[in-house]
């Protein structure tokens, strides 16, 4: 192992042993990456992606073949009828709100069956009152908690479903919660259960942080609508903005009408030069996701060894790239985030402090020294300042940078 001059030799020795113990895990991650790389490459080949696709459109963006064929590539990767992949979808929250609001009408009901969703959705749904929340447009909402934060509560789901229920929503990643993230197959069980009760109910998945973590995706198990952010896994670290929605063609068309206008739909939306990064980022996404996953396992193993609780544990198969570590003390969480920031390419000299964030209830501390602002497929960590002072660590375009950052953090906290 390279002898970092600024890392304690004892810690380096410990890290080497831990890496060896992760050998089998890393092999499995490489196998999945290989399968996903093949799937992505084949989608490019099938759609005959050429140099001309990497160009740009302006103005209305009519007949932008690069944009339209990228959507075919996404639909092929996710095995769906259609896709909407646009720079005009500004972030993950926007993709989720777009997909939900386009497919819910006054009187309809939305039920999340993975507990309360990601903090930034509270206003979008209307859990916290807001203009243009789903609640304001007449959509009722409830959620069903998971059993032991790990299993779907099928009895409670059956009781919750009524004639009004239009969308059942599933958040794949734990977000800022202490629960398990979900594999596509596990999500598939819930799809089957819901469709058995009423096959007209739309099953929606927030797939943020989950893309390319398994060889399959939630849409391989009958999910109708599935969304994510391009400044997470599928952008491969290169996409500077954007979101995707994949799924049934009729539902995607409604999303396009909502994003632009009825009648215009997918026909408009200039790409302004981002397509090269969308395509190239997608080509790298399986490998980049694999590196992020290896960093997550390494983080769990290193900090577990020093008595911290890691979720998921280092020896569990991860279902998304987010690694939670409970620091129990606010100072340790801050030290962790400061070390991650200091090991970043951009803004390494900045000292993160916790502060208010739009859409979040508690103050949040964030480390993100990224090329793309706020990108969390790049090395990043954040944590709401509330017990048990959990750091949510994710990303690392390269395994090496993540490893070095984790060594620095553990050294600052424990050595
Ligand atoms: C990141 C994330 C979101 C929101 O995405 P933004 O791009 O931050 O708006 C929603 N759900 C989950 C599970 C996420 O990880």
């Amino acid at each position: 192992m390279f002898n970092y001059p600024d890392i304690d030799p004892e810690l380096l020795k410990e890290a080497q042993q831990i890496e060896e113990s992760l050998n089998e895990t890393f092999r499995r991650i490489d196998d999945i990456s290989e399968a996903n790389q093949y799937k992505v490459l084949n989608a490019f080949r099938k759609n005959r992606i050429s140099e001309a696709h990497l160009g740009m459109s302006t103005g209305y963006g009519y007949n932008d073949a690069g944009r339209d064929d990228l959507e075919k590539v996404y639909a092929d990767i996710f095995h769906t009828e259609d896709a909407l992949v646009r720079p005009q979808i500004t972030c993950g929250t926007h993709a989720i709100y777009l997909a939900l609001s386009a497919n819910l009408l006054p009187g309809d009901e939305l039920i999340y069956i993975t507990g309360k969703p990601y903090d930034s959705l509270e206003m979008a749904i209307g859990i916290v009152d807001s203009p243009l929340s789903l609640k304001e447009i007449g959509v009722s909402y409830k959620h069903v908690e998971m059993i032991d934060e790990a299993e779907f509560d099928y009895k409670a789901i059956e009781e919750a479903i009524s004639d009004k229920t239009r969308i059942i929503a599933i958040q794949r990643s734990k977000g800022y919660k202490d629960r398990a993230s979900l594999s596509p197959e596990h999500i598939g069980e819930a799809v089957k259960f819901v469709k058995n009760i009423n096959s007209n109910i739309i099953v929606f998945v927030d797939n943020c942080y989950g893309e390319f973590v398994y060889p399959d995706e939630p849409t391989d198990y009958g999910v109708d609508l599935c969304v994510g952010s391009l400044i997470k896994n599928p952008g491969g670290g290169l996409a500077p903005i954007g979101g995707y929605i994949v799924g049934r063609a009729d539902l995607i068309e409604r999303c396009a009408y909502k994003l632009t206008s009825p009648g215009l739909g997918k026909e408009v939306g200039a790409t302004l030069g981002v397509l090269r990064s969308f395509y190239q980022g997608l080509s790298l996404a399986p490998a980049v996701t694999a590196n992020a996953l290896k960093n997550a396992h390494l983080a769990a193993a290193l900090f577990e060894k020093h008595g911290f609780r890691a979720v998921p544990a280092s020896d569990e198969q991860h279902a998304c790239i987010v690694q939670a570590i409970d620091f129990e003390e606010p100072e340790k969480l801050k030290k962790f985030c400061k070390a991650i920031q200091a090991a970043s390419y951009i803004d390494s000299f900045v000292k993160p402090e916790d502060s208010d964030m739009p859409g979040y209830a508690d103050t949040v501390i964030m480390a993100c020294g990224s090329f793309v602002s706020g990108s969390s497929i790049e090395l990043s960590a954040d944590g709401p300042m509330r017990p048990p002072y959990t750091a949510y660590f994710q990303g690392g375009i390269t395994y090496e940078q993540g490893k070095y950052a984790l060594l620095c953090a553990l050294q600052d906290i424990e050595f």
Side-chain angles (χ1 to χ4, degrees):
M1 185 191 283
F2 172 61
N3 273 322
Y4 292 96
D6 49 349
I7 303 290
D8 189 305
E10 277 304 304
L11 174 52
L12 283 174
K13 210 188 290 166
E14 189 183 309
Q16 183 155 18
Q17 283 166 1
I18 285 176
E19 271 187 326
E20 276 161 23
S21 75
L22 289 170
N23 250 339
E24 216 171 291
T25 298
F26 284 8
R27 276 266 296 281
R28 183 188 63 221
I29 292 170
D30 287 336
D31 284 348
I32 292 172
S33 173
E34 223 173 316
N36 280 323
Q37 135 87 13
Y38 183 63
K39 179 163 66 173
V40 170
L41 176 62
N42 280 338
F44 275 60
R45 297 198 289 194
K46 179 182 163 205
N47 290 288
R48 301 173 64 88
I49 302 309
S50 68
E51 197 178 350
H53 286 87
L54 309 180
M56 65 185 282
S57 61
T58 57
Y60 294 108
Y62 291 136
N63 304 314
D64 185 332
R67 176 196 66 206
D68 295 347
D69 287 348
L70 178 66
E71 289 174 340
K72 290 183 189 155
V73 168
Y74 265 76
D76 285 337
I77 291 169
F78 286 89
H79 303 124
T80 54
E81 291 173 3
D82 204 355
L84 188 66
V85 187
R86 301 285 167 129
Q88 287 83 11
I89 302 176
T90 54
C91 63
T93 305
H94 185 187
I96 295 164
Y97 177 69
L98 177 61
L100 294 177
S101 61
N103 287 288
L104 289 162
L105 291 171
D108 287 344
E109 179 181 62
L110 164 70
I111 306 176
Y112 258 85
I113 60 170
T114 44
K116 193 159 153 268
Y118 199 71
D119 294 42
S120 69
L121 289 164
E122 291 193 348
M123 290 174 85
I125 292 170
I127 301 168
V128 173
D129 277 328
S130 168
L132 289 171
S133 69
L134 295 176
K135 184 177 163 198
E136 198 198 55
I137 60 177
V139 173
S140 57
Y141 163 81
K142 56 191 170 196
H143 63 252
V144 175
E145 292 294 346
M146 299 188 80
I147 299 171
D148 298 331
E149 304 290 2
E151 296 298 328
F152 291 109
D153 188 342
Y154 289 116
K155 192 159 161 279
I157 293 169
E158 187 161 16
E159 279 166 13
I161 290 175
S162 70
D163 291 345
K164 296 193 315 181
T165 308
R166 176 75 179 143
I167 296 185
I168 291 284
I170 295 169
Q171 181 180 304
R172 178 171 178 186
S173 172
K174 61 164 70 68
Y176 284 150
K177 289 194 72 182
D178 186 13
R179 72 153 171 90
S181 295
L182 302 169
S183 70
E185 194 177 355
H186 195 169
I187 289 170
E189 283 172 22
V191 177
K192 226 188 240 167
F193 183 82
V194 168
K195 296 282 182 183
N196 251 332
I197 295 172
N198 179 353
S199 60
N200 291 325
I201 292 176
I202 298 164
V203 181
F204 163 90
V205 171
D206 168 1
N207 202 26
C208 282
Y209 288 134
E211 301 89 356
F212 304 123
V213 170
Y214 272 68
D216 44 19
E217 298 291 339
T219 43
D220 291 315
Y221 295 87
V223 164
D224 301 294
L225 268 176
C226 178
V227 315
S229 164
L230 297 198
I231 63 168
K232 295 179 179 173
N233 310 14
L238 293 184
I241 192 170
Y244 75 87
I245 306 176
V246 290
R248 244 168 60 193
D250 59 324
L251 308 179
I252 296 289
E253 179 168 53
R254 294 185 65 94
C255 295
Y257 276 19
K258 184 87 185 181
L259 179 64
T260 63
S261 166
L264 301 180
K266 293 179 86 177
E267 305 285 319
V268 296
T271 49
L272 305 171
V274 299
L275 284 176
R276 178 185 301 275
S277 68
F278 280 19
Y279 277 111
Q280 195 172 6
L282 181 60
S283 80
L284 296 177
V288 167
T289 302
N291 289 339
L293 269 178
K294 287 178 184 175
N295 281 330
H297 280 277
L298 181 67
L302 281 170
F303 282 89
E304 275 168 358
K305 183 128 198 283
H306 287 265
F308 297 95
R309 177 169 174 262
V311 180
S314 61
D315 58 358
E316 277 178 86
Q317 184 165 8
H318 290 30
C320 78
I321 65 165
V322 180
Q323 180 63 55
I325 302 165
D326 291 348
F327 283 105
E328 303 297 342
E329 296 167 34
E331 282 316 307
K332 287 183 178 169
L333 169 57
K334 287 183 185 174
K335 271 189 177 176
F336 180 81
C337 290
K338 284 180 177 163
I340 300 298
Q341 184 75 36
S344 298
Y345 289 100
I346 307 298
D347 291 339
S348 59
F349 50 88
V350 168
K351 304 268 177 288
E353 297 287 345
D354 60 296
S355 67
D356 291 319
M357 289 284 301
Y360 296 84
D362 299 276
T363 62
V364 179
I365 185 162
M366 298 199 160
C368 193
S370 52
F371 290 91
V372 171
S373 179
S375 165
S376 50
I377 186 61
E378 295 184 55
L379 192 69
S380 50
D382 37 63
M385 296 304 287
R386 63 189 178 215
Y389 299 99
T390 305
Y392 296 87
F393 166 83
Q394 62 270 316
I397 302 290
T398 66
Y399 171 71
E400 290 77 4
Q401 186 205 1
K403 172 180 163 183
Y404 172 66
L406 289 166
L407 293 176
C408 292
L410 186 54
Q411 176 163 267
D412 286 354
I413 292 168
E414 288 287 293
F415 280 74

